[in-house]
Structures are given as C-alpha cells and as structure tokens.
Amino acid sequence: MIKTDEEKASILILYTGGTIGMVQRPVTRTLAPVKFDQIKEEVPELNKFNYNIKTITFTPALDSSNVTPAVWVKIAKTIEKNYNQFDGFVVLHGTDTMAYTASALSYMFENLDKPIILTGSQLPIGTLRTDGKENLITSVEIAAAKENGKSLVPEVCVYFDFKLYRGNRTVKRDADQFSAFHSVNYPELAVAGVDIRFRKEFIHYPENKGILNVKTNFDDHVVILKIFPGINQKVFNSILCLPELKGIVLETFGAGNVPTTRWLINCVKKAIKNNIVILNVTQCQGGRVSMGQYETSLELLKAGVVSGKDLTTEAAITKLMFLLGQGLSSEQIKFYLNKNLRGEITE
Ligand code: ASP
C-alpha cells in the first residue's frame, strides 16, 4: 500500500563505520570506528522527526579504507531484506571510499524506486563542530521525502555539506573541508538551505515499475592504471600482462590521450587480444574522453579501447567489476560500459 505524504515515514539507518562514529584512541591518538549503537542518543534531534527510525550497526564498524565488495554486498542485501518495510535508507559510511560504494550500489539495484542516501562526516559526531549531525539529519529528511506517495529521490545518492549528488557521479575531492565531495559532470539533485530544493529535472524517476532486482557479483581481477609522463615500458607491460587480469581502467591525459610511443600501443593491442577489457577515463576532474580527437588517442580507438566518456574513475572501476561479475562476453561488457545504466555516464 502506498503511504500518503503525511503518514509516518519509516527510515532504516545502516551504520557501516567512518569518521562520523569514530573516537580517538588513547595512546596512538588515531581515529578508529566504535560501535555506534545509540545513534538516536548521539543525535536526539532525530526524535523530533515524526518518523519510525530503525538502526542497524555493522560489526565491525569499518574505516572505509577497509571496505571491500563483500561490504557492498552486505549493505545491498540488508537493504533488499528490509526494502518493503521502509520508505528510504540512509547509509552512514566513511568518506574515503564513499564514492566507490555509492557507484557500486547504484549498479547493484535494478528497478530501485526508493532513496538510498550515503552520508558521513569529516568530524566525529561527538565533537563540538561536527558536520555529522547536519549530514545525518538532512539525509534522513531526504530519504523520507515524498510527493504523491512516491519518493522524491529514488536513486543511490551521496548527501554532504548541504548538497545531494547522484552517487555514481561523486568524487571525494577534499580531505579537510566539510565540502568533501563534488560531482563535476552532473548537477546536484538537491540543495539544502532554508528549504531542501529538489531539482526534479535532474533526478531519475523510473517509468515502469519493475520488480527490484539486486545483483551481487563483482569480479576483482581489475586494475586502475594512471598514465604519467615517463611511464616505464617494463612496468607498463608487466601490469598489462598480469595473469588473470580481466579489465583495466586506464586514466589518461585530457580527452583520453596517451604517449604515441610504439611500445605502449603494442602492449595495449596485446592485452586486448588476450581478452582484457580496457576502459579509457580522463585524469581531469571534469569533461570527457573523446578518442580520435587527437593523434594521441586515435591508436587506442583503433586498438579497441572502450571510451569511458565522462565516467569518474570510481564509477568506471566499479562498473567494470560489476559487468565482469555478470558472466557476460567481452563484447557485451564493452557494449554496456558505453551505455548509461544508472545515470553514471552521458552517452
Ligand atoms: N578514514 C575515514 C573513512 O573513510 C574518513 C571519513 O570517514 O571521513 O572511514
């Protein structure tokens, strides 16, 4: 049954770890995650919402540097199990790899029609100047927001520092500032000020309501390889010839360019002949790969390298791992890499 906008929303908060729930260890003075069971005690403001809020804490709570595909799957399965009982989901997660998790989750959920909002903070929630409270409170509000009985943002998103982003378009851009994330190639989905302004023209609303389908297979036989001036032939070759390697995200210069030196193109050709999928993304913060625009990318195009267009590296590597995990042929993988699956790429 569809609830009216006024009925009490139910929100599930998953705490996976991250700075938001960290404390300083006494001797080393390093920040480490703690069991953050009492989210509602730490943030009594949550009780002021007229919502049913339930919390699930992952054990162990992780610094997101320790998040693996197994954790993506755990998050996805927990949401899937609780999907019908809740109107929206908030995932508290470390900021370091939040963009990877958000991207991975976006591919995993087919026919998503409820919000999954990832958030965290730069300062622990117990500290005076924490950004965690605002991030959490507004994420909960966004997860509950509806219009005509339907979620206002039925997407996997990242909410941080007053802005809501499509998750698979985000990049962590700053280790210190509260505005830790940006999304250069896609506009914000909402901006929180006195009101939360939803920018519906940029939000994806499913046209046909299909049945939720959660896919949980990832293949980790992949690598991200960043091109730099002076890259060594032997090192480059040995990476491309790694046994069991199935996919490479090649971070190239500008619009998808690499040195035209013969050995580099020959290595790339050899790898493609060995059925390795190579996806070209730019090292730039914004813009897109356009192979063939310069002489320095034409040979990649001819060799069969796939254009990552305006994918972020985070969205690219997780998409590659996801597609490789689906048991597709390399031709199908190349086809879908270029296709817009969840709003991650501008075709
Ligand atoms: N190292 C932390 C993490 O990613 C950083 C943070 O949460 O801001 O878990």
Side-chain angles (χ1 to χ4, degrees):
M1 200 186 73
I2 295 175
K3 292 181 185 175
T4 63
D5 299 348
E6 290 72 39
E7 274 181 88
K8 222 176 180 185
S10 296
I11 302 299
L12 180 62
I13 300 177
L14 308 185
Y15 170 61
T16 70
T19 296
I20 193 161
M22 287 190 186
V23 290
Q24 210 168 42
R25 295 242 190 262
V27 181
T28 59
R29 302 187 70 80
T30 50
L31 284 169
V34 285
K35 208 156 176 266
F36 185 40
D37 268 341
Q38 312 302 332
I39 292 176
K40 284 217 209 151
E41 273 177 29
E42 293 285 349
V43 192
E45 293 87 342
L46 287 174
N47 294 315
K48 296 189 180 162
F49 282 127
N50 185 28
Y51 304 152
N52 290 316
I53 297 178
K54 189 184 158 193
T55 309
I56 294 180
T57 302
F58 281 19
T59 327
L62 295 170
D63 184 306
S64 75
S65 298
N66 288 322
V67 165
T68 58
V71 179
W72 303 338
V73 171
K74 190 172 165 189
I75 297 170
K77 287 198 166 157
T78 309
I79 293 175
E80 184 185 24
K81 203 168 134 209
N82 289 283
Y83 196 72
N84 293 330
Q85 287 84 268
F86 292 89
D87 298 289
F89 304 86
V90 174
V91 180
L92 297 177
H93 191 287
T95 58
D96 289 347
T97 66
M98 190 184 287
Y100 293 88
T101 300
S103 300
L105 288 173
S106 75
Y107 305 128
M108 294 165 94
F109 282 86
E110 197 174 42
N111 297 322
L112 181 71
D113 66 355
K114 294 182 180 181
I116 300 177
I117 315 293
L118 283 87
T119 194
S121 66
Q122 294 281 57
L123 279 177
I125 209 140
T127 57
L128 221 48
R129 291 178 52 250
T130 184
D131 50 331
K133 284 196 180 185
E134 199 291 317
N135 285 344
L136 172 56
I137 290 166
T138 307
S139 294
V140 168
E141 192 164 342
I142 290 171
K146 289 194 175 190
E147 196 173 70
N148 302 324
K150 292 199 170 144
S151 297
L152 264 169
V153 196
E155 293 205 35
V156 177
C157 302
V158 167
Y159 178 78
F160 224 87
D161 195 43
F162 303 102
K163 297 205 172 91
L164 182 73
Y165 306 100
R166 176 168 292 159
N168 55 32
R169 293 286 191 158
T170 56
V171 168
K172 183 173 179 183
R173 67 148 170 208
D174 204 299
D176 303 322
Q177 301 295 314
F178 286 153
S179 55
F181 290 89
H182 67 182
S183 158
V184 176
N185 283 335
Y186 200 77
E188 289 111 27
L189 304 184
V191 178
V194 173
D195 300 309
I196 301 174
R197 293 230 169 106
F198 292 94
R199 305 172 74 192
K200 287 195 234 159
E201 64 277 31
F202 300 120
I203 300 171
H204 175 73
Y205 294 101
E207 277 153 31
N208 307 309
K209 191 176 160 8
I211 295 168
L212 182 78
N213 185 11
V214 184
K215 296 183 175 154
T216 53
N217 284 335
F218 289 89
D219 192 322
D220 60 6
H221 293 90
V222 292
V223 70
I224 300 172
L225 183 50
K226 184 170 185 162
I227 300 290
F228 56 93
I231 192 163
N232 177 278
Q233 177 175 359
K234 275 195 195 144
V235 175
F236 188 81
N237 191 39
S238 64
I239 295 172
L240 267 66
C241 292
L242 280 173
E244 296 181 35
L245 185 66
K246 294 186 189 163
I248 302 169
V249 170
L250 198 63
E251 265 200 12
T252 58
F253 305 129
N257 307 318
V258 294
T260 49
T261 168
R262 210 58 239 161
W263 62 258
L264 193 144
I265 296 300
N266 286 341
C267 284
V268 165
K269 282 187 182 159
K270 195 165 81 186
I272 291 175
K273 220 166 136 211
N274 289 338
N275 246 347
I276 293 172
V277 179
I278 305 185
L279 180 61
N280 185 353
V281 298
T282 177
Q283 297 176 10
C284 298
Q285 295 288 305
R288 57 193 284 127
V289 162
S290 165
M291 284 191 291
Q293 185 180 342
Y294 291 89
E295 213 168 55
T296 42
S297 65
L298 187 61
E299 291 297 322
L300 294 180
L301 182 67
K302 286 195 199 154
V305 169
V306 183
S307 173
K309 298 176 179 171
D310 62 350
L311 282 175
T312 63
T313 298
E314 291 84 339
I317 192 73
T318 48
K319 188 171 183 179
L320 192 55
M321 293 168 86
F322 174 75
L323 291 175
L324 284 166
Q326 305 310 304
L328 305 167
S329 69
S330 55
E331 281 321 302
Q332 285 171 315
I333 291 172
K334 286 180 187 170
F335 174 80
Y336 286 118
L337 279 173
N338 249 235
K339 286 268 153 227
N340 174 17
L341 299 183
R342 307 280 188 265
E344 74 283 3
I345 195 168
T346 315
E347 278 185 39

